Amino acid sequence: MVTITKRAFAALATASLLPLAFGGFDAAFAKDKVKIAFVGPLTGALSPHGIGGRNSAELAVKLMNADPNTKYDYELVVLDDECKPNIGVQVVTKIASDRSIVAAVPHYCSATAIATVDIFNRFKLPMVVWAAVLPEITYANKFPEVHRVSGILIGQNRIGAEFMKARGYKKFVSFVDSTDYGKSMNKYFTQFTLENGNDILGTFSVPPDQQDLSAELTKIKELNPEVIYFGGLTPLGARLRTQMAKFGINAQFEGNSGIMGDAFINAAGPELTEGTVTFFDSPPITKMPGGKMFTNAYKAAGYSEPPEAYGPFAFIATNLVMETIEKVGPDRAKITEDLGNVKDRPSVVGPITFDDHGQNITPLTTKYVVQDGKWVVWEDSEYAAGKRKLKNLP
Amino acid sequence: MGMIGQHLLNGMMQGTIYGLVAMGFTIFFGVMNVIKFSHGDVLTLGAFGGLVAVWATHSLGLSVPMQFVAAFAAAMLLSAVAGAGISHFLIMPLRNAPPLNMLLMTMMVGTVLREAIRLFFPNGTNPQRFPELLPSGGFNIGSSFFRTDALILIVAGIASIGVVYWIINRTKFGLAMRAVAEDVETARTMGINFARVIPLTFALGSITAGFAGTIYGLYYSEINYGMGLLLAVIGFTAAIVGGLGNIWGAIVGGYLFAGLQTFVVAAIPSMSDYKNVFAFVLIIMLITWRPTGLLAERGSERV
């Protein structure tokens, strides 16, 4: 057995305590770490949007942590929902049951978000949706934990229907995916198109991962619509546009926020997407109040992927959460309560005001058209100037 | 009514792909009594190999016809090597194990292949644009629009089915395959090199998958890492409904499945969301009616 002398013991104790003492000295000046979660599609066909959102949320955290005046040191916990409701439920349950995470910035896909809102409510985890636009996410229930900075798809469809009527289009076909998102798109597209006195010749609903659209396109060709309205997300939209061309269908292509972003143009190619019109709940980054700051900061951070259409919304959702924590502390209940009172809060996309359902009510819906491989605001385009023409104009 | 021709063409195109996949299943089962569930993922591997070959030949400045040939050659070679490798290293050692072990093992190999493409192919999680190597456009007959690329691919697909049939029924290797399918021990006694015939048989079945994968990429202008999953389920179903072990049964099953899918959309467009459900329900009814398949396997006609 080893015996330790008194002197050896004293030396050992001193050696052990010194680092602790200095560590404690450092710790007294360190900020408390606060965890917030980001959830979006980081793999799969919608990953360009998810990665753009993730980068933007991460950028918000980096900028906040770089500010010496903040009270906390923020850590972003990033999780992949693959835009699948079952995976979304798994990852949200995981973050909700982790008490060290005090708030979340979740979901690009509506079908995933609508599947997880109950979990946020049940676990009392405050969240701010950064992209999913299905109205029911905020309006089907009155969950105090649920908020959303992005718009809702009702406005996109109302403005879209008015726009198409103003161009003189009368005969439409609706082509949507079979998720809750697609169904809701079809509901409001149908409502506003019929209200405007136009005809819907046929409605087609397919699973978002369906590859072969030839039977549907054959029927659509027979119906001979002037416009094909698409209510779905980028992969199916690009597939539809590609296969439309292969079938020699020359209808005008009308989309919405689901295809907004560079990913759609890259997937279907600039030639086929030329002249596609879309309605999206935000002006382009360059026209946003803080657009220049966001673009410069994003570029300076060195991300190789673009922020995509909803990147600025992920940025402001994350900022909103951190600003609230700065104000009320890292406490789920207090954050929920304070987020409920957001009114005219300045952000890079403009002022944010939540209604009694946690929905941002600031209307920003903007009309876009693809021109030379880029989304251009309709009013600024050569189409609006009359130099180029949409397809099938009556 | 004017669209019937076009729906027929659509069904033919899909049926050709399904039939090619089903033919692989029936070859594997006919010779080794193996249900190789990695077949769909071998198809995906072949299609990605074809895509890389197109990229490579394009960057070398070769002509479009050369890129087309390279796509098929690379896809078929890669899938043949994968199929032969799976049989040599994984199926042969397990040939005396319970069939369930073999089934599970092939499913796991399929998952490995699929995930390897997703993880290691550049940007593999996202759908890949497959370059258009065939003439675009088409022509109208009445109110039907016939895509030129679809017609070429259907002819190529049917010709490939004919070639496989010829190999099985008119060549020495085909004779050896049929002998092994009939009775392994007798075939070995008669001097057939069992260890060589089995990997070659799997290579032949997998070539049809590589061919189908390239047709798929050319027709839809897109491939993705998960495309083999549903194709394998449909191909396997087609093989079963036609009569597992009977090549003509597989072809009939493939066209029947595609026909049912197309019929649903043509007859009731609002039901297009349910076309797979409808097709599978009818197949279930057919299997219940004819448990051994429409063209039941006969001992003397395996593969």
Side-chain angles (χ1 to χ4, degrees):
Chain A
M1 193 173 169
V2 181
T3 46
I4 302 176
T5 63
K6 275 185 183 173
R7 188 176 291 176
F9 180 79
L12 193 66
T14 310
S16 312
L17 287 172
L18 270 175
L20 279 177
F22 283 106
F25 184 74
D26 282 348
F29 285 85
K31 294 174 183 173
D32 286 341
K33 184 156 273 195
V34 171
K35 285 187 191 173
I36 54 178
F38 170 88
V39 186
L42 304 177
T43 56
L46 289 155
S47 58
H49 295 278
I51 289 167
R54 189 269 323 265
N55 292 350
S56 306
E58 204 176 80
L59 176 65
V61 171
K62 276 182 187 169
L63 293 178
M64 186 65 99
N65 283 341
D67 182 348
N69 298 319
T70 55
K71 294 178 190 163
Y72 304 100
D73 184 31
Y74 295 95
E75 182 185 333
L76 193 69
V77 178
V78 177
L79 290 155
D80 179 12
D81 65 13
E82 300 176 31
C83 264
K84 291 177 183 165
N86 57 331
I87 307 290
V89 166
Q90 282 173 29
V91 298
V92 168
T93 305
K94 188 178 166 191
I95 57 170
S97 48
D98 180 348
R99 302 305 296 182
S100 70
I101 293 173
V102 295
V105 180
H107 304 312
Y108 173 77
C109 287
S110 292
T112 314
I114 196 67
T116 65
V117 284
D118 290 342
I119 302 170
F120 287 104
N121 173 249
R122 205 179 318 137
F123 285 84
K124 307 292 176 216
L125 178 64
M127 59 92 124
V128 181
V129 173
W130 60 278
V133 293
L134 183 75
E136 287 78 5
I137 292 165
T138 42
Y139 289 120
N141 301 288
K142 206 168 179 180
F143 291 149
E145 294 80 13
V146 177
H147 311 84
R148 174 165 48 188
V149 286
S150 47
I152 53 173
L153 54 81
I154 297 174
Q156 300 169 16
N157 282 286
R158 185 176 54 241
I159 289 173
E162 287 163 3
F163 176 88
M164 298 311 272
K165 189 190 179 191
R167 307 277 90 70
Y169 290 116
K170 289 186 175 61
K171 292 188 290 178
F172 293 76
V173 151
S174 174
F175 193 105
V176 297
D177 75 35
S178 54
T179 64
D180 287 343
Y181 173 78
K183 283 176 191 159
S184 191
M185 280 287 181
N186 185 54
K187 178 183 161 187
Y188 291 106
F189 162 74
T190 305
Q191 180 186 322
F192 295 123
T193 300
L194 296 179
E195 272 177 20
N196 281 328
N198 284 333
D199 290 335
I200 297 170
L201 306 176
T203 299
F204 297 82
S205 166
V206 303
D209 56 352
Q210 183 171 313
Q211 185 70 42
D212 186 277
L213 309 174
S214 52
E216 289 82 2
L217 286 169
T218 299
K219 195 73 192 171
I220 289 170
K221 190 162 186 186
E222 189 183 8
L223 294 169
N224 193 25
E226 291 165 348
V227 178
I228 294 183
Y229 166 86
F230 174 67
L233 301 174
T234 294
L236 183 63
R239 203 171 290 151
L240 174 63
R241 187 65 197 90
T242 305
Q243 294 190 28
M244 264 173 69
K246 289 187 176 242
F247 272 82
I249 296 174
N250 194 37
Q252 171 62 35
F253 197 75
E254 177 192 357
N256 47 57
S257 58
I259 60 165
M260 187 65 201
D262 297 339
F264 172 72
I265 298 171
N266 293 337
E271 298 85 13
L272 284 184
T273 51
E274 177 70 32
T276 299
V277 290
T278 269
F279 308 93
F280 174 54
D281 295 305
S282 171
I285 294 176
T286 49
K287 295 195 173 191
M288 290 175 184
K292 198 172 175 193
M293 183 282 286
F294 174 78
T295 310
N296 290 343
Y298 195 91
K299 207 176 283 176
Y303 294 116
S304 53
E305 309 89 359
E308 291 289 349
Y310 283 97
F313 287 92
F315 180 82
I316 62 166
T318 313
N319 257 338
L320 193 59
V321 163
M322 291 188 295
E323 284 165 14
T324 308
I325 296 169
E326 286 290 308
K327 199 168 143 194
V328 300
D331 179 285
R332 288 185 177 188
K334 287 179 185 169
I335 297 167
T336 299
E337 192 186 343
D338 198 70
L339 280 174
N341 300 321
V342 168
K343 196 176 175 208
D344 289 329
R345 185 81 65 88
S347 80
V348 295
V349 303
I352 305 288
T353 297
F354 288 147
D355 66 9
D356 61 343
H357 279 79
Q359 176 62 48
N360 179 21
I361 53 169
T362 315
L364 294 164
T365 306
T366 308
K367 303 179 274 286
Y368 289 87
V369 61
V370 177
Q371 182 180 300
D372 298 326
K374 289 202 174 351
W375 290 107
V376 178
V377 173
W378 172 261
E379 287 78 7
D380 301 339
S381 71
E382 292 188 0
Y383 289 90
K387 289 182 187 166
R388 301 189 197 195
K389 286 199 183 314
L390 297 178
K391 290 183 198 300
N392 263 348
L393 277 173
Chain B
M1 286 296 287
M3 288 288 122
I4 287 176
Q6 181 134 22
H7 282 304
L8 273 174
L9 188 74
N10 299 339
M12 284 285 286
M13 185 66 237
Q14 278 181 273
T16 304
I17 294 174
Y18 297 162
L20 280 165
V21 180
M23 202 161 69
F25 276 109
T26 221
I27 289 173
F28 305 138
F29 186 81
V31 176
M32 277 290 286
N33 278 351
V34 169
I35 295 166
K36 180 172 161 271
F37 250 111
S38 53
H39 192 48
D41 300 298
V42 169
L43 177 149
T44 310
L45 185 71
F48 274 81
L51 178 64
V52 172
V54 176
W55 287 348
T57 46
H58 178 75
S59 65
L60 289 171
L62 297 181
S63 64
V64 170
M66 289 300 290
Q67 293 173 30
F68 180 83
V69 171
F72 276 106
M76 291 193 292
L77 184 67
L78 192 60
S79 52
V81 169
I86 290 170
S87 81
H88 185 72
F89 296 108
L90 301 168
I91 289 175
M92 288 289 278
L94 278 180
R95 67 180 185 276
N96 296 321
L100 197 59
N101 291 18
M102 198 95 83
L103 183 75
L104 279 173
M105 195 273 298
T106 59
M107 282 176 84
M108 289 185 286
V109 171
T111 307
V112 170
L113 285 177
R114 191 164 59 249
E115 288 301 306
I117 293 169
R118 184 172 78 84
L119 294 168
F120 300 118
F121 194 85
N123 199 20
T125 52
N126 294 321
Q128 308 288 322
R129 283 184 77 187
F130 205 97
E132 291 191 28
L133 304 175
L134 288 168
S136 57
F139 54 89
N140 287 297
I141 297 179
S143 52
S144 302
F145 180 75
F146 289 81
R147 277 172 59 177
T148 313
D149 59 351
L151 291 173
I152 294 170
L153 292 173
I154 290 170
V155 171
I158 291 173
S160 71
I161 290 169
V163 168
V164 174
Y165 184 77
W166 176 79
I167 290 172
I168 292 172
N169 290 288
R170 295 279 185 273
T171 65
K172 208 172 166 185
F173 164 61
L175 186 65
M177 258 177 72
R178 284 182 289 136
V180 170
E182 200 66 36
D183 186 335
V184 177
E185 290 312 316
T186 310
R188 290 173 89 167
T189 316
M190 300 298 287
I192 288 172
N193 189 340
F194 180 71
R196 190 192 289 171
V197 168
I198 295 300
L200 284 176
T201 303
F202 274 80
L204 178 68
S206 301
I207 281 174
T208 65
F211 196 86
T214 313
I215 285 182
Y216 182 103
L218 288 168
Y219 183 66
Y220 297 117
S221 300
E222 179 199 316
I223 56 172
N224 60 75
Y225 75 93
M227 65 193 245
L229 264 178
L230 185 62
L231 280 176
V233 174
I234 292 175
F236 180 60
T237 309
I240 293 276
V241 78
L244 198 55
N246 184 317
I247 279 207
W248 291 117
I251 310 296
V252 168
Y255 284 111
L256 178 68
F257 198 93
L260 289 173
Q261 283 183 319
T262 307
F263 171 75
V264 176
V265 184
I268 321 163
S270 59
M271 294 285 285
S272 61
D273 195 13
Y274 299 95
K275 69 179 181 184
N276 281 345
V277 176
F278 182 82
F280 278 118
V281 166
L282 280 182
I283 295 290
I284 289 167
M285 288 162 68
L286 271 176
I287 293 174
T288 312
W289 174 54
R290 295 283 299 257
T292 54
L294 292 176
L295 307 180
E297 173 196 340
R298 281 183 290 169
S300 58
E301 282 187 6
R302 299 192 88 180
V303 302

